[in-house]
Amino acid sequence: MADNSWAERRRRMVKCKIHGLHYDPEMSTGCTRCLRDAAKTQSPSRPPQLVIILLCLLGMAFISLYIFGPRRAATGGADLGIASSPSASAQKLDPETFRLPVENLETALFRTPINETEDLLFVSSDISASAASLSQAILDAEPVIGFDTADQIARLGQAVPTDQVALNDVERARSQWLRIRRQRLRSADWLYQPSQAKSDEEETTSASKYSDIASSLRSLIEEGASEVELLNDPDDSLDRVERTDRWRAFARDWRDRIVSLRSRLPARPGARSNANLLLATQDLEKAISQTWALASDSSLPIATDSRFDDARDLALRAEQGFDDL
């Protein structure tokens, strides 16, 4: 596997001075829009005409030798048939030739955790850059038989939005890659094998557990909002230092309870699970993340802090999503 973890690639991200998008300079020479613009001005490298002519001549020589050569004399002319064309599997590309770019793309598609909108933006950029890199690697290694495969992979990367990306866009790219891989690449034991989708009964059980956690999280958020409102009461005799100390004591306990709640989360649904289950899970993870951010604030939030409402709405939407499954 590629030795660059998602966290390391994320730290390497730089911002494109032209388009304002992030990209990994070790994987790409520019952001996805720079690569797309370059692709429009440069036609894909095609095999030289001389190579095609030589291949045709070699094919004709092979056929002539097969029909009129020693094989015909030895068999007394009984076998005059031309050898059948290579099987479809023989035309598939060997993924070992470009293993690193394949692994980079599969890491971006399947192994990178997606918890927040910001993560989706980084993942989409990673997918686009990895797809462009793999497409070029295939063209460099197999300019003739790999041309169509490289084109399909390049289109996969270009189809993933670089802004306003949604989880469905990533799911679509995953399915498209698995189809290309099945049709165009030979099998290899190091290729990522997506787990089978859970059965309906397993998904129902998982949704029920998630719903209970979402409900408990809403209660925690309500407690935090009530505590903040109480500590911001102007009629309270506490001074500013005392209010801050009480908030920090409450926040420590609040964080412990969030950690305990998060530890109850079941295994994250697989990429091929029910789309509504995946969306509800994403909302719950966002709600937990935002609640944790509030609990980690060393200064007392104001009573009208909108982050409480945002986290509460996400938790409620997640709970409703799980209940509807």
Side-chain angles (χ1 to χ4, degrees), residues 66-195:
Y66 189 92
I67 296 177
F68 301 108
R71 178 180 176 83
R72 173 180 168 83
T75 58
D79 186 3
L80 301 180
I82 298 175
S84 60
S85 60
S87 64
S89 62
Q91 293 297 314
K92 291 184 176 181
L93 302 175
D94 182 5
E96 196 69 41
T97 307
F98 21 81
R99 176 169 179 169
L100 180 58
V102 168
E103 290 184 330
N104 285 336
L105 177 58
E106 293 201 329
T107 295
L109 285 168
F110 300 109
R111 295 183 173 90
T112 299
I114 303 175
N115 298 321
E116 301 179 7
T117 302
E118 183 182 2
D119 285 340
L120 275 173
L121 292 175
F122 275 103
V123 168
S124 67
S125 178
D126 206 4
I127 291 172
S128 298
S130 299
S133 176
L134 175 57
S135 176
Q136 188 60 52
I138 292 175
L139 280 177
D140 292 341
E142 300 287 355
V144 180
I145 64 174
F147 180 79
D148 289 340
T149 303
D151 181 63
Q152 289 186 23
I153 294 173
R155 291 175 182 272
L156 178 156
Q158 293 168 2
V160 180
T162 53
D163 51 3
Q164 296 182 345
V165 63
L167 185 60
N168 287 341
D169 297 313
V170 178
E171 294 293 339
R172 192 179 304 110
R174 288 170 174 170
S175 299
Q176 188 177 355
W177 164 246
L178 291 176
R179 182 170 61 254
I180 294 173
R181 197 182 76 178
R182 183 174 60 253
Q183 295 174 351
R184 301 283 183 169
L185 300 184
R186 298 175 193 169
S187 60
D189 56 8
W190 51 266
L191 288 171
Y192 178 76
Q193 298 299 328
S195 58

Side-chain angles (χ1 to χ4, degrees), residues 1 6 8 34 38 55-56 75 90 99 118 142 149 165 172 174 188 191 212 223 229 236 247 249 278 283 300 315:
M1 285 300 302
W6 164 244
E8 292 172 346
C34 291
L55 289 174
C56 292
T75 58
R99 176 169 179 169
E118 183 182 2
E142 300 287 355
T149 303
V165 63
R172 192 179 304 110
R174 288 170 174 170
L191 288 171
D212 290 343
E223 287 184 34
E229 184 177 2
D236 197 302
W247 161 249
L278 291 171
D283 284 337
L300 174 64

